Amino acid sequence: AIGFGNAKSAMLESKDLRAWGKSGACPKAKKVHRNRKRIAEEILSTEKTYISALDTVIDKFQNPMIVSAKSGKKILSQQDITFLFGTINAIRGLNQKFYSDLEEKLAGYTNSTNIGEVLLSFVPYFKMYRQYVERQNSDRHKQIMKILDDKHDSAFKSFCDRVSATERCLTLQALLITPIQRIPRYQLLLQEYIKHTSTTHPDYPLLEKALEEIIATATYINNSAAKSKNREKILQISSLFAKDPE
């Protein structure tokens, strides 16, 4: 179980924070507040849309494929299914909790609302995206997905086309990319939110710290994916030299 403490809550709900919230009465301060609220709501709404995409991947694609494989009517082998979807179930669980905590924090949004502590609580766990990104960038993943581009029909292609048409959703290829795009999206949204946050706001240092950690997490994931790709290439080259000469 993931524990998300609120150790900083007491400090941020202090008299100073409440006093700061009462200081935004001038027209300029009201405009800043409107912008901050708009961006905060965008973070929340895009998170909801993102989780909906994960729900579609898991409930409409992955789970029926697993049931089919167990029944003997294989769309893909169990091994390929496991590799294709990777850690997406764990990612959904994490982001559902993130959305829930963020929604609670943004309820009744005011000048003194702080979201930095929520972001800081979750950013360390976003490193779990590493394995997912590595698999998505692998040659094996590309080989599996190449079946969908094949002109010849297959159980996998027929299934994916049918689900996309029935659910009126994005293709599986497009849906599987959404977790890769999410961390960079957090960075862009948070940068925009900070731009409309006064440096004197009690949440400002927490937001800056959260942005710093999100950038570091994105770099960590990208570097790990690149190293994994290099290892894969080295193994491929090594296997060529390991073959017996004819």
Side-chain angles (χ1 to χ4, degrees), residues 1-239:
I2 298 174
F4 301 101
N6 291 312
K8 296 176 182 174
S9 295
M11 176 189 73
L12 291 173
E13 293 300 330
S14 64
K15 291 181 180 178
D16 289 341
L17 181 57
R18 292 195 295 271
W20 198 97
K22 295 175 182 177
S23 68
C26 70
K28 184 177 180 180
K30 288 181 179 179
K31 182 179 179 181
V32 169
H33 171 68
R34 284 197 302 271
N35 285 329
R36 294 182 76 242
K37 184 179 180 182
R38 172 181 57 80
I39 299 164
E41 288 173 347
E42 184 177 357
I43 295 172
L44 189 65
S45 65
T46 57
E47 189 69 15
K48 185 176 182 179
T49 301
Y50 171 55
I51 292 171
S52 178
L54 297 180
D55 288 340
T56 299
V57 172
I58 294 169
D59 300 333
K60 304 303 180 181
F61 287 94
Q62 178 191 248
N63 290 347
M65 289 172 70
I66 292 172
V67 171
S68 181
K70 289 180 178 178
S71 69
K73 300 176 181 178
K74 291 194 295 186
I75 296 171
L76 281 180
S77 69
Q78 185 62 59
Q79 291 81 0
D80 281 347
I81 294 170
T82 300
F83 190 89
L84 182 65
F85 295 101
T87 56
I88 201 163
N89 289 68
I91 287 172
R92 180 173 68 169
L94 170 65
N95 283 87
Q96 285 174 333
K97 175 61 177 170
F98 176 51
Y99 175 81
S100 175
D101 284 16
L102 191 61
E103 184 180 39
E104 182 179 347
K105 178 62 69 173
L106 294 179
Y109 191 93
T110 68
N111 243 8
S112 58
T113 296
N114 61 84
I115 64 172
E117 61 176 336
V118 176
L119 292 167
L120 280 173
S121 294
F122 282 87
V123 171
Y125 297 98
F126 290 148
K127 288 183 178 180
M128 75 161 58
Y129 277 67
R130 176 190 62 81
Q131 186 182 14
Y132 182 86
V133 174
E134 286 179 3
R135 288 192 175 189
Q136 290 288 309
N137 289 332
S138 69
D139 286 343
R140 180 178 175 184
H141 180 271
K142 290 175 183 175
Q143 288 169 359
I144 297 171
M145 297 305 290
K146 191 177 179 181
I147 300 172
L148 298 180
D149 297 325
D150 199 324
K151 292 180 181 178
H152 301 291
D153 203 8
S154 67
F156 183 37
K157 181 176 172 59
S158 297
F159 170 76
C160 289
D161 288 346
R162 185 171 65 254
V163 171
S164 293
T166 303
E167 298 298 326
R168 296 183 178 181
C169 64
L170 294 173
T171 64
L172 180 60
Q173 298 98 312
L175 288 166
L176 289 175
I177 292 172
T178 54
I180 297 175
Q181 298 169 330
R182 194 58 190 161
I183 302 298
R185 181 67 171 155
Y186 289 141
Q187 181 179 335
L188 293 174
L189 288 168
L190 187 52
Q191 285 172 332
E192 188 68 12
Y193 190 74
I194 290 173
K195 189 169 77 174
H196 294 285
T197 302
S198 169
T199 55
T200 62
H201 194 292
D203 200 26
Y204 189 85
L206 297 181
L207 294 171
E208 285 275 276
K209 180 64 176 174
L211 177 60
E212 179 185 320
E213 292 193 12
I214 286 173
I215 292 172
T217 298
T219 301
Y220 165 76
I221 292 171
N222 291 336
N223 288 344
S224 295
K227 288 178 182 178
S228 177
K229 190 67 177 176
N230 287 336
R231 285 194 300 271
E232 189 176 37
K233 288 180 180 179
I234 291 170
L235 288 172
Q236 288 173 352
I237 294 170
S238 298
S239 67

